[in-house]
Amino acid sequence: AQSVAQPEDQVNVAEGNPLTVKCTYSVSGNPYLFWYVQYPNRGLQFLLKYITGDNLVKGSYGFEAEFNKSQTSFHLKKPSALVSDSALYFCAVRDGEAAGNKLTFGGGTRVLVKP
Amino acid sequence: DTAVSQTPKYLVTQMGNDKSIKCEQNLGHDTMYWYKQDSKKFLKIMFSYNNKELIINETVPNRFSPKSPDKAHLNLHINSLELGDSAVYFCASSQVVDSPLDQETQYFGPGTRLLVL
């Protein structure tokens, strides 16, 4: 079984301040972890992923995430948020040792960046 | 060029009708998916096809039937539509085999907003 938790429904941050969106996961095997962003009335856009290697992953639009195996977390971060980062963010996990390519998504976190 | 496209973008229909949503990807991927996003934005996989073969089939009512005429297309046919089917349906694709640099990344279409009245 695999699951993802995004404990915050919404995160509010002032423009220019650091942004963190939290994600914890549970899988039986090796976790493959992903972050996606959804702008209003749009599809999901891929931001970054962790499959193996360096625990700090850098992605699109200045976002990064750190894989922490002991805390089973994969928090998304951006050093300086922009108003245009306001969107819905999804964390997703796949069990790398399971057959198939099933992604399980968290419930999403809405980010609001205020000018 | 749109990588993953879906038609229609919006679909408003009456209960009991049968409708289809089409999806096409021009990324050359070997695997395609259908996801359902409910009114609370919760996203859940419905089906996955690899090279026209069904590999993931979640607990979806059998009124939903995916069809993959070739590996670039995955259509979703829904029979006897119900109010609870109202949602946004997303198609996605990925390259699962022989793609170590981009393996596992799923690319999503723009979504089809289905409203059942």
Side-chain angles (χ1 to χ4, degrees), chain B residues 22-91:
Chain B
K22 296 185 177 182
C23 178
E24 177 181 3
Q25 55 94 4
N26 63 7
L27 298 167
H29 287 164
D30 59 9
T31 305
M32 296 184 71
Y33 313 80
W34 277 110
Y35 287 86
K36 179 180 180 180
Q37 186 175 46
D38 63 23
S39 59
K40 296 183 178 179
K41 305 298 183 184
F42 186 71
L43 198 65
K44 186 171 167 56
I45 192 166
M46 301 172 70
F47 301 103
S48 170
Y49 269 74
N50 176 267
N51 281 321
K52 298 168 50 180
E53 185 176 340
L54 182 66
I55 57 172
I56 295 176
N57 185 350
E58 291 294 288
T59 51
V60 177
N62 57 14
R63 299 182 294 104
F64 290 79
S65 53
K67 289 183 172 54
S68 183
D70 55 62
K71 73 174 191 177
H73 296 84
L74 180 62
N75 303 324
L76 183 64
H77 188 75
I78 315 171
N79 288 328
S80 302
L81 278 156
E82 300 177 356
L83 294 177
D85 297 333
S86 296
V88 182
Y89 292 84
F90 287 103
C91 177

